[in-house]
Amino acid sequence: DSALDALAAHAWPGNVRELENVVEHGAALASGDCIRPADLPLFERRGSPTVHKTRQSLSSVERKHIIETLEQVGWNRKRAAKSVTT
């Protein structure tokens, strides 16, 4: 609910693709089944509950996640693939 409040409070100067990118980014950063306001890459605005000062591309977030997963499983690609599908 708090992530939805953060999305509703954002001014959205861009188009619907901006919203889509923010939600995808939040899903990539979320640790679990729920997206938190801290997971959303919204610029800090007066009255906005989120605080992210920089944006990262979805591909850079995905790359970081892949590397972190590989490091956790000793760079074993099969174990890494299984860890994200289970």
Side-chain angles (χ1 to χ4, degrees), residues 57-74:
S57 68
L58 182 56
S59 62
S60 68
V61 172
E62 288 174 337
R63 178 177 165 74
K64 181 180 174 185
H65 178 70
I66 290 167
I67 290 171
E68 288 173 358
T69 302
L70 285 167
E71 287 173 346
Q72 290 173 0
V73 296

Side-chain angles (χ1 to χ4, degrees), residues 35-57:
I35 297 173
R36 298 165 297 144
D39 299 325
L40 300 172
L42 300 175
F43 286 110
E44 186 175 327
R45 297 188 190 282
R46 197 174 283 159
S48 176
T50 60
V51 181
H52 270 283
K53 294 182 181 178
T54 61
R55 289 183 182 227
Q56 296 176 331
S57 68

Side-chain angles (χ1 to χ4, degrees), residues 6-28:
L7 292 171
H10 187 66
W12 297 111
N15 57 25
V16 72
R17 277 180 258 163
E18 180 184 5
L19 172 61
E20 180 181 29
N21 288 336
V22 167
V23 173
E24 286 179 355
H25 185 98

